[in-house]
Amino acid sequence: MSTVPEVVDARGLRCPLPVVRLAARAKELAAGSEVTVLATDPAARYDVPAWARLRGHVMVAEEHHPVNDEADGGPWWALTVRLED
C-alpha cells in the first residue's frame, strides 16, 4: 500500500476517458492505495466520485485549480480516491 497517491493525468481528455483511465490504473493497485485523477473536463468532478461510490471506494480529496498553467489556461481538478477491498 502506498501513502503517496498514484497520478492519472487525464487533462485534456473528455468524458468518459478520465474514468476509463482511473479504472484501468485501479485494477493494478492494492486496496488502501490512493489514486489522484488530474482532469480538465468538468464532468470528471461528478464522474470520478460516482465511479468510486459504485465500486465501494472512497473520495478523499477534491482540489480545484482555477488556472491551468499548461495548454488552454482553463481550470482543472485533482480528484483523489482511496481504493477499498
Side-chain angles (χ1 to χ4, degrees):
M1 174 173 61
S2 175
T3 56
V4 176
E6 294 286 325
V7 174
V8 173
D9 191 346
R11 291 176 290 187
L13 302 178
R14 302 297 294 176
C15 178
L17 289 177
V19 170
V20 170
R21 298 272 173 95
L22 167 59
R25 187 66 185 116
K27 287 181 184 179
E28 302 169 348
L29 299 172
S33 298
E34 291 186 357
V35 182
T36 298
V37 179
L38 308 180
T40 51
D41 184 354
R45 290 184 59 216
Y46 306 102
D47 295 344
V48 169
W51 176 89
R53 186 176 51 254
L54 288 170
R55 281 153 185 80
H57 303 310
V58 178
M59 284 296 302
V60 294
E62 176 184 317
E63 297 176 26
H64 178 246
H65 299 267
V67 177
N68 182 354
D69 293 335
E70 302 173 16
D72 64 4
W76 61 282
W77 292 265
L79 307 156
T80 303
V81 176
R82 185 177 60 242
L83 305 175
E84 301 293 329
D85 288 330

